[in-house]
Amino acid sequence: MSAYDFTVTVRTQHLPEQSNPERDNYVFSYTITIRNTGSVPAQLISRHWVITDANNRVQEVKGLGVVGHQPLLKPGEQFEYTSGTQLATPQGSMRGEYFCVAEDAHRFEVTIPEFVLSLPRSLH
């Protein structure tokens, strides 16, 4: 195990009340839990997302922090947030990285494993 390690878990949800399939607009929320599983306090500084729909259209999103926060997590602490995205197709996926800086100024990246965005019962 690394001294510099965050574990990322994701839960997704389709938001039918915000979606408009007639206009190829499908809205999803995702709830992410980031836990410092390393041994050094570290701060999440920025994020980079790659969002791909079923037609292989890719959106990239980069920015500081997550939902307006740059959480500083001590070992064992976690931060949870919910955000959302829109796709032009009923399925897609997201993956990315968080860029973090530890208390000792060591910089590291945390991979966000790819996860699927999909309407319920639409996978065959």
Side-chain angles (χ1 to χ4, degrees), residues 23-95:
R23 294 177 187 248
D24 293 330
N25 184 25
Y26 300 89
V27 179
F28 298 88
S29 71
Y30 51 91
T31 299
I32 296 193
T33 305
I34 307 157
R35 176 183 289 276
N36 185 342
T37 48
S39 58
V40 178
Q43 186 170 20
L44 190 158
I45 301 299
S46 65
R47 68 194 183 285
H48 173 220
W49 286 109
V50 178
I51 306 163
T52 308
D53 73 12
N55 296 326
N56 282 321
R57 277 189 295 244
V58 174
Q59 305 172 59
E60 286 201 58
V61 179
K62 295 181 179 185
L64 289 175
V66 289
V67 294
H69 297 275
Q70 291 181 315
L72 173 63
L73 300 175
K74 296 185 179 86
E77 286 185 338
Q78 68 181 36
F79 180 80
E80 183 176 278
Y81 72 96
T82 300
S83 191
T85 192
Q86 297 180 34
L87 297 176
T89 59
Q91 284 102 24
S93 66
M94 289 179 64
R95 62 183 170 82

